[in-house]
C-alpha cells in the first residue's frame, strides 16, 4: 500500500475501535430507556425534543466544520500558516457563539409552536413534555458547539483519539445520569444526562487541544482572509443543511400522525442502520478528509483521485454486507437487545419493518460520507448542496406519496431511494470535475461486494430460521445463539469470498486491522 493508504488506515482503525465502543454505549442507552419506557408517546416526545437543539447545532457548527472550517484550517496547518489558522478559527468561533445564543433565545421563546409544527400528532400533554425536555437540552447545544470546534481542530492535526474518547464519555454519562435520576424525575433524567455528557465530552478534549498549541484570540475581525473564506464556503452549505433538516422535520411531522411509538420506532431503526455508517463510513471518511485537503492544497490531483476512489471502494466493501446482514438478523437482533420490560414483540416487529427499508440505502448514505468530503476538500460546497436539495425534495415527495399506502415503512423506503439519487449525482459531478476516478474498479468492487453479500444473506437467514425452530432453550438464549452464529457465519463466508479477489480495498481494511494488533508497528 502507499504511505497515504497506510496513514489513512491507522487513523481509521483508531476511529473504528472507539466508535464501536461509543456505539455500544449508545445502544446501551437506548436499551435502558426503551426497557424502562417502551415505544410510546412518552419516548416520541423525548425524540421530538431533540429536533430543535440538533437543528441549531447542525446549522451553525456541523455545517461549518464539515464543509468550510476543516479544509481552511487544515490548509493552514499543511502550509505552515498555523498562526493565521488559529486566528481565523477564533473569529469563526466567536461569531458562532453569538449567533447560537441569539437563535437559542428565539427558539426557547417559541418552543411550543415549533414542537406543534414538528410533531402535530402528539397529544397535548406530550407536546408539553416535549417543550420541557427541549428547554433542558438547549444547554447541550452550547457544549456540543465547543465539542465540534475541538474535534475540527484536532482532526486537522490528525489527532482523532480525544474526540473519539469524548463520545464514549458522552454516552456513558447519559446512561449513568438517566438510571440514577429516572425514579425521581422520569424521562427528563435522560435529558439532563445529555447535557452533563456533552459538557464532559468537551472537558476530555482540552488536554489534547493544549498539546497541539491552542491559540485563542478574542477578535471579531470580519476582514480576516481565512474567516471570509470560511464564510463564503459556509453559505451554500447552510442552505443545504436547511434543506436536509426540512426533510427530517417532514418525516417527523408525517410519522407523528401514525400512532403512538411511531416516531420512536423510526428513530430506533435509523439508529441501528446508522451503526455501520458510524463505525465504518464515518471513520474512513473522517480519517481520509485531512489527507484529501492536504493533497488538494499541494495540487496533487492524481493522488486525490486515487485516495477518493480507494475510500469509496473500501466503504462499498464493508457497508454493502452490513446492509444485507442487518436485513438478515434485524428482527431477532432487535428482540435480543430490546424486548424486555416495556418493550414488546410488536414494537420489535414495527422497528424491524422500518429497519429493512432503511437498510436498502445504507451503502449509499455511507458512500456519501466520502464523496461530500471529496468536494469539501476541493473547496466546492455548492455541489453537495445542489445534490441535497434535489434528493431531499425527491425524498419529501416520495414520503408524502408512500406514507398512506405503506405507513412508517414508506417513510423509510423514501429515505433510501433518495440516498441512491444523491450518490449517483455526486459521483457523476465529481467525475466531470476532476476526471476519471477508476470507474471500472468502483463497479468491480461494488459487484463483488453485492454478489458476496447476497450469498451471505441467504446463508444467514437459513441458519437463523433453522436454529430458532430447532432449539428449545430460553427465548433470549435462543436469540443470542442464533444471532451470534448467524453473524459469525456471515462474516466468515463474506470474508472468504472477497479475499479470493485480492482487491486493493481489501488490503486497506486488512492493514487497518494489522496496525492495531499487538506487536505490530
Amino acid at each position: 500500500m502507499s504511505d497515504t493508504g497506510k496513514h489513512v488506515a491507522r487513523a481509521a482503525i483508531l476511529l473504528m475501535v472507539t466508535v464501536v465502543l461509543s456505539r455500544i454505549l449508545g445502544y446501551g442507552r437506548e436499551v435502558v430507556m426503551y426497557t424502562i419506557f417502551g415505544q410510546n408517546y412518552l419516548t416520541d416526545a423525548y425524540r421530538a425534543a431533540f429536533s430543535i437543539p440538533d437543528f441549531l447545532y447542525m446549522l451553525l457548527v456541523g455545517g461549518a466544520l464539515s464543509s468550510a472550517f476543516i479544509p481552511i484550517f487544515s490548509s493552514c496547518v499543511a502550509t505552515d500558516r498555523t498562526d493565521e489558522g488559529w486566528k481565523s478559527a477564533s473569529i469563526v468561533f466567536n461569531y458562532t457563539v453569538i449567533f447560537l445564543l441569539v437563535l437559542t433565545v428565539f427558539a426557547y421563546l417559541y418552543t411550543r409552536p415549533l414542537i406543534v409544527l414538528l410533531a402535530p400528532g402528539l397529544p397535548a400533554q406530550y407536546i408539553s413534555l416535549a417543550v420541557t425536555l427541549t428547554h433542558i437540552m438547549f444547554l447541550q447545544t452550547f457544549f456540543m458547539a465547543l465539542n465540534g470546534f475541538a474535534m475540527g481542530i484536532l482532526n486537522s492535526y490528525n489527532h482523532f483519539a480525544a474526540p473519539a474518547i469524548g463520545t464514549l464519555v458522552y454516552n456513558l454519562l447519559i446512561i449513568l445520569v438517566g438510571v440514577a435520576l429516572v425514579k425521581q424525575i422520569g424521562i427528563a433524567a435522560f435529558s439532563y444526562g445529555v447535557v452533563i455528557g456533552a459538557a464532559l465530552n468537551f472537558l476530555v478534549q482540552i488536554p489534547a487541544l493544549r498539546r497541539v498549541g491552542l491559540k485563542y484570540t478574542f477578535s471579531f475581525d470580519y476582514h480576516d482572509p481565512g474567516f471570509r473564506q470560511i464564510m463564503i464556503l459556509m453559505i451554500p452549505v447552510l442552505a443545504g443543511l436547511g434543506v436536509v433538516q426540512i426533510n427530517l422535520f417532514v418525516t417527523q411531522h408525517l410519522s407523528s400522525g401514525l400512532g403512538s411509538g411511531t416516531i420512536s420506532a423510526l428513530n430506533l431503526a435509523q439508529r441501528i442502520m446508522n451503526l455501520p455508517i458510524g463505525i465504518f463510513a464515518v471513520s474512513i471518511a473522517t480519517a481520509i478528509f485531512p489527507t484529501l485537503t492536504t493533497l488538494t492544497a499541494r495540487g496533487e490531483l492524481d493522488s486525490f483521485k486515487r485516495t477518493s476512489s480507494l475510500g469509496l471502494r473500501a466503504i462499498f466493501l464493508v457497508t454493502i454486507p452490513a446492509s444485507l446482514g442487518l436485513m438478515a438478523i434485524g428482527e431477532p437482533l432487535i428482540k435480543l437487545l430490546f424486548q424486555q420490560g416495556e418493550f414488546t414483540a410488536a414494537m420489535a416487529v414495527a422497528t424491524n419493518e422500518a429497519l429493512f427499508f432503511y437498510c436498502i440505502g445504507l451503502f449509499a448514505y455511507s458512500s456519501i460520507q466520502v464523496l461530500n468530503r471529496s468536494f469539501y476538500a476541493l473547496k466546492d460546497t455548492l455541489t453537495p448542496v445542489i445534490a441535497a436539495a434535489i434528493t431531499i425534495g425527491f425524498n419529501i415527495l416520495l414520503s408524502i406519496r408512500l406514507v398512506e399506502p405503506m405507513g412508517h415503512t414508506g417513510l423509510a423506503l423514501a429515505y433510501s431511494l433518495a440516498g441512491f439519487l444523491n450518490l449517483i449525482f455526486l459521483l457523476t459531478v465529481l467525475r466531470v470535475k476532476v476526471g476519471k476516478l477508476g470507474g471500472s474498479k468502483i463497479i468491480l468492487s461494488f459487484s463483488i461486494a453485492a454478489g458476496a453479500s447476497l450469498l451471505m444473506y441467504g446463508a444467514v437467514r437459513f441458519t437463523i430460521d433453522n436454529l430458532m425452530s430447532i432449539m428449545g432453550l430460553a427465548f433470549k438464549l435462543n436469540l443470542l445463539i442464533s444471532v451470534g452464529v448467524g453473524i459469525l457465519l456471515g462474516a466468515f463466508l463474506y470474508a472468504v469470498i472477497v479475499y479470493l479477489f485480492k482487491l486493493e480495498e481489501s488490503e486497506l481494511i486488512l492493514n487497518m486491522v494489522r496496525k492495531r494488533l499487538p506487536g505490530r508497528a
Side-chain angles (χ1 to χ4, degrees), residues 341-398:
E342 297 298 317
F343 195 98
T344 66
M347 294 174 184
V349 171
T351 302
N352 181 61
E353 288 172 346
L355 175 62
F356 184 90
F357 286 98
Y358 273 134
C359 284
I360 293 174
L362 190 156
F363 83 88
Y365 283 101
S366 298
S367 304
I368 291 166
Q369 296 289 332
V370 165
L371 291 174
N372 276 343
R373 284 167 173 79
S374 295
F375 282 103
Y376 297 154
L378 293 167
K379 296 185 174 62
D380 176 3
T381 57
L382 182 59
T383 297
V385 170
I386 295 172
I390 294 172
T391 55
I392 298 308
F394 180 63
N395 190 357
I396 292 173
L397 290 175
L398 277 180

Side-chain angles (χ1 to χ4, degrees), residues 287-335:
I288 217 172
F289 191 31
T291 300
L292 291 174
T293 57
T294 299
L295 291 173
T296 54
R298 294 173 179 170
E300 299 176 17
L301 189 59
D302 288 339
S303 295
F304 168 85
K305 291 190 289 185
R306 285 194 299 270
T307 304
S308 295
S309 176
L310 180 60
L312 186 63
R313 287 180 277 129
I315 282 179
F316 282 169
L317 195 67
V318 293
T319 59
I320 292 176
S323 63
L324 286 165
L326 280 177
M327 289 179 180
I329 67 171
E331 187 171 336
L333 176 65
I334 293 168
K335 288 181 176 179

Side-chain angles (χ1 to χ4, degrees), residues 402-423:
L402 295 176
V403 68
E404 185 174 347
M406 296 181 63
H408 71 302
T409 60
L411 299 176
L413 178 59
Y415 181 83
S416 291
L417 295 177
F420 287 139
L421 182 60
N422 199 334
L423 171 60

Side-chain angles (χ1 to χ4, degrees), residues 77-327:
V77 172
T79 54
D80 296 323
R81 294 181 293 116
T82 53
D83 288 341
E84 295 177 29
W86 282 111
K87 180 182 178 182
S88 300
S90 299
I91 297 170
V92 172
F93 174 78
N94 293 335
Y95 277 110
T96 299
V97 169
I98 289 177
F99 283 118
L100 187 60
L101 290 174
V102 171
L103 289 176
T104 299
V105 170
F106 176 83
Y108 187 93
L109 295 174
Y110 293 96
T111 303
R112 178 171 289 275
L114 288 171
I115 292 293
V116 171
L117 177 65
L118 296 176
L122 290 179
Q125 70 187 92
Y126 294 103
I127 287 179
S128 297
L129 175 62
V131 171
T132 300
L133 299 179
T134 301
H135 287 167
I136 295 171
M137 286 192 280
F138 275 138
L139 294 172
Q140 173 223 14
T141 308
F142 174 74
F143 290 114
M144 291 305 290
L146 296 177
N147 290 328
F149 274 97
M151 179 195 70
I153 290 169
L154 292 174
N155 285 357
S156 296
Y157 278 96
N158 290 312
H159 287 273
F160 301 100
I165 292 171
T167 62
L168 299 180
V169 173
Y170 172 71
N171 283 312
L172 181 60
L173 263 293
I174 295 175
I175 295 173
L176 295 177
V177 175
V179 172
L181 300 180
V182 68
K183 289 184 178 180
Q184 289 77 23
I185 57 177
I187 201 168
F190 289 90
S191 295
Y192 283 110
V194 165
V195 175
I196 296 171
L200 290 181
N201 185 349
F202 174 66
L203 291 177
V204 167
Q205 299 181 68
I206 291 177
L209 287 172
R210 288 176 174 172
R211 285 195 296 271
V212 300
L214 176 65
K215 297 178 183 177
Y216 171 74
T217 303
F218 185 75
S219 171
F220 294 91
D221 180 14
Y222 56 85
H223 295 294
D224 178 76
F227 170 75
R228 295 171 75 90
Q229 277 186 289
I230 293 171
M231 290 299 103
I232 291 171
L233 290 174
M234 275 183 62
I235 291 172
V237 175
L238 291 179
L241 285 171
V243 172
V244 171
Q245 289 297 321
I246 288 172
N247 168 70
L248 296 176
F249 293 158
V250 168
T251 298
Q252 184 171 288
H253 180 98
L254 293 172
S255 63
S256 71
L258 295 176
S260 175
T262 305
I263 293 176
S264 298
L266 282 167
N267 181 272
L268 180 56
Q270 194 169 49
R271 285 183 62 83
I272 296 172
M273 184 271 283
N274 281 332
L275 178 61
I277 295 178
I279 292 175
F280 301 116
V282 173
S283 296
I284 292 172
T286 302
I288 217 172
F289 191 31
T291 300
L292 291 174
T293 57
T294 299
L295 291 173
T296 54
R298 294 173 179 170
E300 299 176 17
L301 189 59
D302 288 339
S303 295
F304 168 85
K305 291 190 289 185
R306 285 194 299 270
T307 304
S308 295
S309 176
L310 180 60
L312 186 63
R313 287 180 277 129
I315 282 179
F316 282 169
L317 195 67
V318 293
T319 59
I320 292 176
S323 63
L324 286 165
L326 280 177
M327 289 179 180

Side-chain angles (χ1 to χ4, degrees), residues 1-11 287 291 295 298 300 303 306-307 310 504 508 511 515:
M1 290 183 63
S2 66
D3 290 339
T4 297
K6 292 178 181 178
H7 173 75
V8 169
R10 284 193 294 269
T291 300
L295 291 173
R298 294 173 179 170
E300 299 176 17
S303 295
R306 285 194 299 270
T307 304
L310 180 60
E504 181 185 9
L508 172 62
N511 189 64
K515 288 296 179 182

